[in-house]
Amino acid sequence: MENREIDKLVAEKVMGWYSCTDANGNKWWAPSAEEFPIWLKPQKGFEPSTNIKDAWLVVEKLDFDVKVTKHKDSSYQCHVFIPDNIQMVFDKTAPLAICKAALHAVGIEVEKE
């Protein structure tokens, strides 16, 4: 699955955002399609699969304990500690591991590397 597809799934299924396009043709993610762009702080350029800052927004939204570990082979492991269930994902980057673990935590399987 391509990173853009993962970003879209994370925005919709984990963050609960809606895709919006403003009058200038710019694409945004907003908490509600009805309220955009009124006084919200919509996200433009949300790329959690490649941007660690955006990936940490995903971690904050999950509201579970999350642990990211770098291994000697430069891969990353992300654990999402959900009550009675631990999600564990390995991937080549921390943002991608976080995204895949977050999607798994909400019941969406993404191919594992």
Side-chain angles (χ1 to χ4, degrees):
M1 180 177 285
E2 298 286 324
N3 285 8
R4 291 187 129 191
E5 294 173 277
I6 291 171
D7 294 340
K8 182 179 185 303
L9 281 173
V10 169
E12 293 172 348
K13 305 300 183 186
V14 178
M15 304 302 286
W17 292 345
Y18 297 87
S19 177
C20 301
T21 304
D22 65 20
N24 297 321
N26 296 314
K27 298 216 178 268
W28 299 78
W29 290 102
S32 167
E34 293 80 35
E35 297 177 28
F36 177 78
I38 305 168
W39 54 264
L40 294 174
K41 291 186 178 179
Q43 295 289 323
K44 184 177 179 187
F46 181 69
E47 298 174 339
S49 66
T50 56
N51 182 326
I52 193 65
K53 180 181 170 190
D54 290 343
W56 284 119
L57 290 174
V58 174
V59 170
E60 290 173 10
K61 178 69 175 183
L62 283 176
D63 201 29
F64 298 117
D65 289 334
V66 176
K67 180 180 178 183
V68 179
T69 307
K70 184 174 183 179
H71 292 271
K72 291 179 183 178
D73 67 355
S74 296
S75 68
Y76 289 83
Q77 179 178 6
C78 181
H79 286 86
V80 179
F81 298 94
I82 301 168
D84 300 324
N85 189 2
I86 297 174
Q87 304 300 324
M88 181 174 35
V89 174
F90 293 89
D91 219 295
K92 58 188 171 199
T93 67
L96 204 48
I98 289 168
C99 287
K100 289 181 178 181
L103 288 169
H104 190 71
V106 297
I108 298 171
E109 282 296 322
V110 178
E111 73 221 24
K112 295 180 181 167
E113 302 239 342

